Amino acid sequence: MRRKKPRPRFPGLKLKDEDRELLRRKARERQTERTWKRIRMLQMLDEGKSLAATAAAVGSAVPSVRRVGERYLAAGVEVALKDA
């Protein structure tokens, strides 16, 4: 049986002040459910919540939360909120 290659630990993330404010504004506007979940994922990760706790809270899977966090770290908030 082959073992999966372990993924590196998610480094956590801290939103920039302007990104935090942008997410607050977007959360008050009408959004699709997918976008709203991504906004909430980023906010919860910024609060220091774990990947598993964040996934459970928004009704998503851990890999999805990880991908959104990694996209934010790589390219910023606008990319993290859009489909890949």
Side-chain angles (χ1 to χ4, degrees), residues 16-79:
K16 298 175 190 168
D17 290 336
E18 57 269 14
D19 290 343
R20 194 174 292 120
E21 183 56 35
L22 175 67
L23 290 175
R24 249 186 238 123
R25 275 184 305 194
K26 283 186 175 283
R28 283 183 248 146
E29 297 170 1
R30 180 170 282 219
Q31 302 290 341
T32 64
E33 182 179 359
R34 183 178 288 181
T35 301
W36 183 87
K37 282 183 176 185
R38 290 174 180 163
I39 290 169
R40 194 64 193 124
M41 287 175 193
L42 290 172
Q43 289 173 330
M44 291 183 75
L45 291 172
D46 181 50
E47 294 167 2
K49 305 287 190 229
S50 70
L51 293 172
T54 300
V58 299
S60 190
V62 172
S64 297
V65 177
R66 180 187 303 273
R67 273 192 302 276
V68 169
E70 288 172 347
R71 283 198 309 231
Y72 172 78
L73 292 173
V77 72
E78 292 296 334
V79 172

